[in-house]
């Protein structure tokens, strides 16, 4: 019997629940950093993913309801971040003025990722990064 050949990189997923306190955003960022190191994600991309995690988790804590869930997935070199809460009102980019100190989070996310959006039910905001080269060492 011959060995099975995988034609695609197996998918990987990290999930956690975040206590809905703004002080916990840094915990989410550190968790993302550890997972991305484990997956051998290059530093530049890992920095962008961590920033997106911070922005989406902070938005969910500040504007959402109930528990906040963070999911980071990699499939075929593409990384997707999903953050969910119980607020059915979809996240949206706000038009921050130059002197505003807040209101730019989703604009930052949109600038860093290939695509982003909100689930049909409005409870999950997701962001996907372009595929990266996946080496055999990433197993």
């Amino acid at each position: 019997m011959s060995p099975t050949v995988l034609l695609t990189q197996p998918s990987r997923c990290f999930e956690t629940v975040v206590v809905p306190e703004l002080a916990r955003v840094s915990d989410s960022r550190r968790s993302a950093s550890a997972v991305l190191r484990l997956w051998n994600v290059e530093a530049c991309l890992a920095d962008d993913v961590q920033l997106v995690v911070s922005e989406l988790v902070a938005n969910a804590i500040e504007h959402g309801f109930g528990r906040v869930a963070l999911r980071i997935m990699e499939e075929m070199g593409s990384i997707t971040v999903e953050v969910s809460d119980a607020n059915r009102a979809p996240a949206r980019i706000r038009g921050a003025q130059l002197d505003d100190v807040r209101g730019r989070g989703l604009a930052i996310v949109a600038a860093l990722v290939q695509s982003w959006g909100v689930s049909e039910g409005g409870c999950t905001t997701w962001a996907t990064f372009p595929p990266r080269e996946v080496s055999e060492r990433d197993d």
Side-chain angles (χ1 to χ4, degrees):
M1 179 182 276
S2 63
T4 303
V5 176
L6 292 177
L7 299 177
T8 62
Q9 174 72 19
S11 60
R12 298 184 263 199
C13 183
F14 167 78
E15 297 177 282
T16 189
V17 175
V18 180
V19 176
E21 300 170 355
L22 284 174
R24 301 298 183 168
V25 173
S26 61
D27 294 342
S28 299
R29 188 179 180 101
R30 279 191 296 276
S31 295
S33 175
V35 167
L36 297 168
R37 273 195 313 274
L38 181 67
W39 293 351
N40 294 318
V41 174
E42 47 282 339
C44 183
L45 176 57
D47 289 345
D48 289 349
V49 173
Q50 290 172 65
L51 180 54
V52 167
V53 164
S54 293
E55 293 297 339
L56 295 183
V57 169
N59 282 351
I61 291 170
E62 188 170 351
H63 303 291
F65 306 126
R67 101 187 159 108
V68 174
L70 166 65
R71 178 185 296 171
I72 304 170
M73 299 169 292
E74 182 182 39
E75 188 165 13
M76 295 174 38
S78 181
I79 295 175
T80 299
V81 175
E82 294 181 351
V83 176
S84 302
D85 63 73
N87 187 352
R88 297 183 63 78
R92 61 182 174 77
I93 294 179
R94 295 170 29 184
Q97 302 298 314
L98 287 175
D99 57 346
D100 289 345
V101 294
R102 304 176 63 186
R104 293 179 180 81
L106 284 177
I108 292 169
V109 169
L112 293 174
V113 301
Q114 181 177 33
S115 59
W116 76 277
V118 179
S119 67
E120 189 173 317
C123 295
T124 300
T125 304
W126 56 267
T128 300
F129 290 83
R132 67 186 183 100
E133 291 296 320
V134 178
S135 70
E136 292 181 26
R137 297 179 308 154
D138 286 351
D139 298 334

